[in-house]
Amino acid sequence: MGFFGLLPVFGGKKEGILQGKQKSKGNIWERLVPLDKELEQKFYPTLFLDYIRGAAKARGLYGCHFREEEPYREKAAHLQEHFPALAREVLCKSLHSYNSDLGAGPETLENIGLLGRRETLAVVTGQQAGVLGGPLYTFYKAAAAVALAGKLSRQLQAPVVPVFWIAAEDHDFREVNHLYLQDPEGAPRKVELPPRSGPHALEHLPLDREGVLSFLEEFEAQLPETEFKEGILGQVREHLDRSKGLTGWFGRLLTWLFAGSGLVVFNPLMPGLRPLAAPLLADIALKRKEINGVLQAREKEIQALGYPLQVKRQRGHTHLFAFLPGGRAALLWKGGRVGTRQGEDLGTPGEVAAKIRENPGGFGPNVLTRPLVQEVFLPTLSYIGGPGEVSYFAQVMPLYPLFSLKAPVLYPRTSVTLLEPRLADYLERYGLAEEDIFRPREALQAYLQGQGWDTLEEAFARLEGKIKEEYRGLKEELSRVDRGLEALAEKNLGRVLQEAAYLRGRGQQALKEKHRRAVRHFTYLENACLPGGRLQERTYNIFPYLVKYGPGFLQHLRDNLPLEGGHHIHRW
């Protein structure tokens, strides 16, 4: 059975076959028909799917599986023995100050205090600071961290704290400066912040308030008028007014969305925290050759198993970045020395290591070494990652022992499609299965075939056959009169078939017009659930749903988000 093999519907009206076994606050779960491999592979990397299933060849790349309890116990014992007390002290101080500035409530501050205790562990997830929280999956990641932390805390009988890591070091503004929502006609619409120049870390980018206000005006104009709109957007603006930058605004919104849950927001560029990473970053600068050797061997292993590489290493990259006056710059190995593409020479690896120890805030990891830095900042029991993250962790895994670290247990993030009441009605009206939302055009074609499309196609197929048959006889007769007329007859046949094709197209269009309401419904379904051929969770933002359905919807989704692997459909 595939990744989609269990496609639960939570919050549904129907009674599923598992009724009474998986209820939660009135929500009924339902086991559905598995989706096929074509859809799985369309939306998810093969390595991620194999990890979910527990396939032996994928399992060997990770060393353990998230459904087993023993790996969590082993990692917990390792952290309780080896995570330094000094690191906990520095971590708590930095987190308390940062989260207090974000407006954190007593539940979060209490969890921060718990992190100072030797037995406390963390479930970590993270994402870039997307405008207004970014895509829906950012919300799902945070909700999954809260749920998994609670579950593991009960299982291990130890405090486990949910932590959301803001990727504040990231510099790709184009990845976070926009969002999509459905316009009043239901079509996907992109709303974006004005462009910014320079490869600066997001944390170091001040807010362009005029540009942000213009963005919010456009965003609000696309939203329906509801009883919740003013209150929700008022919160958005209030948190904007209290923020200095994009990451701060993101952090404040996340703190508000998860108020009362105990979620701790983490920023790797918190000033007091950076010295903790200095020894590891300096080691990375000195062990370039060993790192590349380990990564090269693992890459060959992954490819030999038939998987593509999720992250392709840049030639000569030291796996470090420097924060320079001109922005974040990759550090490259050039003839025994370390420099940037812009031509700045930072010295030998030993000199770079010394600079890191002197100024740890001036340097940071790349995508393959960031998970290592996470281990020195946080007592990470488990990391919740998306399909791409889980896939690239297979490349990172052998780096942990190189630096005397133990990898966290990788937990795949919850994947969800929200099926609004209007959309659920369409499924029932047209007799569609839940998996049809991932093939809306094929579902529409099947519907139209049942409304006379097939009959029309058969009629035109018969007509085309008869025309060709008659012309064959005609060409034979004409060739006896004059062989030159045979070519003319063939040309004339093409024109007749072209006219028939035109008439067929008009007939098809007329059928669609006759059923234009159904076509409109299918189009709306596609735009809502599979916009632009992408999963809803990777495209749309949480705030339009909050404006439509209010804070109660937010609480409901937070409290009932499932942890089970697979793609879930949520109807209410």
Side-chain angles (χ1 to χ4, degrees), residues 32 37 45 92 96 102 151 178 201-202 212 244 275 297 309 337-338 355 384 451 453 514:
L32 299 174
K37 288 186 178 180
C92 289
H96 192 282
L102 296 178
K151 179 180 178 180
H178 63 276
L202 295 176
V212 173
K244 295 179 181 179
L309 297 178
R337 299 183 70 81
V338 178
K355 289 178 180 179
I384 297 176
Q451 307 305 309
W453 188 282
K514 181 180 179 181

Side-chain angles (χ1 to χ4, degrees), residues 201 207 277 300 314 341 468 489 514 552:
L207 277 174
K300 288 180 179 179
Q314 298 178 35
R341 289 191 181 87
K468 289 180 179 179
K514 181 180 179 181

Side-chain angles (χ1 to χ4, degrees), residues 364-539:
N366 78 342
V367 65
L368 291 174
T369 51
R370 188 213 65 81
L372 306 179
V373 174
Q374 178 177 289
E375 293 302 306
V376 300
F377 281 153
L378 292 160
T380 311
L381 173 64
S382 179
Y383 182 79
I384 297 176
E389 290 173 294
V390 170
S391 297
Y392 83 67
F393 257 87
Q395 294 173 244
V396 175
M397 284 298 183
L399 291 180
Y400 285 92
L402 184 62
F403 294 94
S404 301
L405 299 169
K406 186 173 178 61
V409 181
L410 288 180
Y411 202 99
R413 73 161 168 81
T414 302
S415 197
V416 176
T417 292
L418 300 175
L419 197 67
E420 299 176 72
R422 173 181 180 178
L423 305 177
D425 288 344
Y426 292 165
L427 293 192
E428 293 184 10
R429 179 179 302 181
Y430 299 108
L432 304 178
E434 275 79 5
E435 59 264 33
D436 286 331
I437 67 173
F438 300 110
R439 284 202 179 100
R441 297 187 184 184
E442 291 89 337
L444 172 60
Q445 189 65 28
Y447 170 78
L448 290 174
Q449 285 172 354
Q451 307 305 309
W453 188 282
D454 282 352
T455 304
L456 190 66
E457 289 295 293
E458 289 170 6
F460 274 99
R462 288 196 303 271
L463 174 63
E464 185 178 305
K466 288 180 180 179
I467 291 172
K468 289 180 179 179
E469 183 181 350
E470 292 297 327
Y471 262 81
R472 275 195 296 272
L474 181 60
K475 282 192 293 183
E476 290 177 5
E477 291 297 325
L478 289 173
S479 65
R480 294 191 186 101
V481 177
D482 183 345
R483 287 189 175 277
L485 293 175
E486 188 174 352
L488 180 61
E490 187 66 32
K491 185 176 181 181
N492 185 255
L493 170 62
R495 289 178 178 174
V496 172
L497 291 175
Q498 189 175 16
E499 288 297 319
Y502 172 76
L503 185 59
R504 175 189 291 196
R506 289 298 300 270
Q508 291 171 339
Q509 188 61 37
L511 184 63
K512 287 182 179 179
E513 284 296 316
K514 181 180 179 181
H515 298 282
R516 63 181 178 275
R517 186 180 182 189
V519 171
R520 188 169 66 250
H521 290 167
F522 275 87
T523 301
Y524 193 94
L525 188 67
E526 177 178 4
N527 286 335
C529 297
L530 203 68
R534 290 161 51 87
L535 289 174
Q536 179 195 86
E537 63 183 17
R538 299 179 187 174
T539 306

Side-chain angles (χ1 to χ4, degrees), residues 75 79-80 83 88 91 115 117-118 120-124 161 163 374-382:
K75 183 65 194 288
L79 289 168
Q80 289 162 350
F83 195 80
R88 288 186 182 274
L91 175 66
L115 285 168
R117 291 163 47 179
R118 176 176 173 271
T120 303
L121 311 161
V123 167
V124 183
V161 173
V163 178
Q374 178 177 289
E375 293 302 306
V376 300
F377 281 153
L378 292 160
T380 311
L381 173 64
S382 179

Side-chain angles (χ1 to χ4, degrees), residues 111 133 160 164 335 489 532:
N111 274 346
V160 182
F164 191 98

Side-chain angles (χ1 to χ4, degrees), residues 176-235:
V176 301
N177 75 335
H178 63 276
L179 57 76
Y180 287 88
L181 74 164
Q182 286 183 270
D183 67 16
E185 300 302 316
R189 182 184 178 100
K190 184 179 183 181
V191 185
E192 59 187 326
L193 295 170
R196 304 291 293 270
S197 59
H200 295 281
L202 295 176
E203 176 71 9
H204 301 149
L205 279 179
L207 277 174
D208 171 9
R209 294 194 176 272
E210 184 177 338
V212 173
L213 291 175
S214 176
F215 161 87
L216 285 177
E217 286 179 9
E218 183 180 357
F219 176 70
E220 291 176 23
Q222 302 303 317
L223 297 173
E225 295 300 325
T226 72
E227 60 182 300
F228 309 112
K229 184 175 182 179
E230 184 178 351
I232 295 294
L233 295 180
Q235 288 287 339

